[in-house]
Structures are given as C-alpha cells and as structure tokens.
Amino acid sequence: MQIVMIVLLIAVFYFMMIRPQQKRQKEIRNFREGIKEGDRVTTAGGILGKVRKVKQTTFLLEIASGVTIEIDKNSVYPSAPQPGDNPDSQKLEPGK
C-alpha cells in the first residue's frame, strides 16, 4: 500500500510541476528560434525594444531611435502586445 502512495505522489508531482515547466521551456525556445526583424521583445534585464537584425546566437535590438544594442538570444522573452498590434482591433474599425 505504501508503494502505491509513493508512485501516486510521484505521478502527481510530475503532472503538476515537471510537465508544465517543460512545456513553458519549449514555448520559450520556439519563440527564441522564431525571432525575426521587427519583433518586439523584452530582455531578461527589462529592456524593451524592436529587433533590427538577427544573427546566429545574437541579434541587434533598437531600444531608442538610433540606439542599437547586441543581445544574446537566450536573454529575451516575448513582450506584451502594444496598443494597435492586436489584429482583432482592425475588425472593429468602421468602414472596413
């Protein structure tokens, strides 16, 4: 009976902790591999910017007009959508 409880505890731990974390890591990895010019990203340090050029393991991030920095791909996360970036907002405009 104790072995069944231990196996059940391990199964619950796997489905509640390990599996969701692996899924999040896969989504972040896919995002980083799919970064292209014009995407808005947030660095691990909290810098917001727009991708200007993608390289093998880094990319150039424009953080202000004329200010570009080079960032490692492993230090970025998707940004929250900016106002007007929502494709559904175009459907709400009259006359279209």
Side-chain angles (χ1 to χ4, degrees), residues 16-95:
M16 298 296 285
M17 301 290 285
I18 297 172
R19 193 164 181 230
Q21 180 64 26
Q22 288 175 340
K23 186 176 178 182
R24 270 191 300 269
Q25 290 295 329
K26 184 177 179 182
E27 290 172 359
I28 290 172
R29 183 176 58 245
N30 288 339
F31 166 75
R32 288 176 180 162
E33 291 172 357
I35 291 175
K36 61 186 181 304
E37 292 181 17
D39 287 348
R40 295 184 188 277
V41 295
T42 303
T43 67
I47 299 173
L48 303 172
K50 187 181 278 191
V51 176
R52 288 297 171 208
K53 183 176 180 183
V54 179
K55 297 181 180 180
Q56 184 70 24
T57 59
T58 64
F59 59 89
L60 298 177
L61 184 68
E62 183 177 32
I63 57 174
S65 181
V67 180
T68 305
I69 58 175
E70 189 168 4
I71 300 291
D72 185 56
K73 283 185 179 180
N74 292 325
S75 66
V76 296
Y77 301 95
S79 291
Q82 299 293 322
D85 287 350
N86 188 356
D88 294 335
S89 66
Q90 296 175 354
K91 296 177 185 176
L92 300 175
E93 294 179 23

